[in-house]
Amino acid sequence: MRSTDADILATAESWRRAGRGVALATVVETWGSAPRPVGSHLIVDQEGRFLGSVSGGCVEGAVISEAVEVIAGGKPRLLEFGVADETAWQVGLSCGGRIKVYVEPID
Amino acid sequence: MRLDLLSTLNAERAARRAAILITDMASGEQRLVREVEVRDDPLAVELEERLRSGKSGLLEVEGRQLFLTVQAPPVKLVVIGAVHISQALAPMAQGLGLDVTIVDPRTAFASPERFPDVRLLAAWPDEALPRVGLDRYTAMAALTHDPKIDDPALMAALQAGCFYVGALGSKKTHARRVERLTAAGVSATEIGRIHAPIGLDIGAVSPAEIALSILAEVVATLRTDRRPR
């Protein structure tokens, strides 16, 4: 099984050891009916290949493109998604919740 | 995250030990606190609470925002008895992400034909349980109705501090079990930790319904009142 958040961390390590650029995204805060709980992980490599989930699909696309930039830039970012940010991000959580996602490179 | 921190975190999980990664949200600075180090950490009280709940989350300390990634080991479910209920219980428990092992010394019951996709130990609990390794992230369901098999398993589970210990049988059966365990030197407090009759009272009739009531009780215990020891 490669579905639990800890399995995802094990995969992040093996990706990095194989020489791939890797970023780890973690849900750090949620408000309202967020689809994935705090602590949920998504990992992304420099090609945009990913594993895991931070929102059950709603904002994954935006997180992945930010993560690819984080891998290139080497600095962590804190992202916030929600209904209010819909126009800014072109994405939103259909459930009406809001989430904060911390994206960091694995060095 | 530094690769060596990630590596340690993964190693702790593989060894079935809890760990907490602390990230300073402003600076990105990180440190890892292993289960054995929690007690001596400046944030001991908060970290112990996190280990109890198993929940990751933000923590404000002296104006700094810290994010705590709590990694608890995967929960094991040890089922004593390769019985009819266990056949329904095993796949449902695996669906919940539990690491399932079935123990039954009776080879007619503990056959791979009856349990195709689950770890099966056809041995007595005294021999099998040390191989399984009971700990406080383990749940045990004793389902054989046979004191020779159930009793030693229950005693081992209580001694190991398993977070959930349940035993199949009516109130009358349990009353006799309490007498036997008391005679064997198990304290009343420890015996009181046994969920018996096993499972939430949802009026379960079929083996699958009983399995559901057992799993609901396991999850409720894990999520609402797990007491680490």
Side-chain angles (χ1 to χ4, degrees), chain B residues 74-174:
Chain B
V75 172
K76 263 193 273 202
L77 173 65
V78 180
V79 180
I80 307 301
V83 296
H84 202 182
I85 294 169
S86 316
Q87 286 179 286
L89 184 61
M92 287 166 71
Q94 286 171 326
L96 284 169
L98 303 180
D99 178 4
V100 182
T101 304
I102 309 230
V103 174
D104 197 323
R106 303 166 298 180
T107 47
F109 286 84
S111 77
E113 292 77 39
R114 285 163 51 82
F115 294 89
D117 300 308
V118 61
R119 185 180 184 205
L120 191 60
L121 299 177
W124 288 88
D126 289 345
E127 192 221 318
L129 295 179
R131 279 155 65 193
V132 177
L134 303 179
D135 57 28
R136 64 191 181 90
Y137 298 99
T138 304
M140 174 179 287
L143 307 180
T144 69
H145 274 131
D146 182 343
K148 288 196 303 299
I149 306 172
D150 281 353
D151 285 5
L154 290 169
M155 284 191 270
L158 292 173
Q159 193 168 25
C162 292
F163 75 89
Y164 175 90
V165 183
L168 190 70
S170 64
K171 288 200 173 78
K172 218 161 127 191
T173 304
H174 187 59

Side-chain angles (χ1 to χ4, degrees), chain A residues 6-7 9-10 13 17 24 26-29 38-39 41 78 102 104-107, chain B residues 1-3 6-7 9-10 13 23-25 28 30 56-58 67 69 71 97:
Chain A
D7 290 332
L9 292 182
E13 183 182 347
R17 292 201 186 282
L24 170 68
T26 306
V27 177
V28 295
E29 209 168 359
V38 168
H41 294 306
L78 188 59
Y102 185 73
E104 58 186 314
I106 309 287
D107 354 276
Chain B
M1 193 191 318
R2 296 200 318 264
L3 184 57
L6 178 60
S7 190
L9 192 61
N10 286 332
R13 175 185 159 87
T23 305
D24 187 313
M25 297 303 290
Q30 284 172 323
S56 300
L58 287 168
F67 184 75
T69 301
Q71 183 169 272

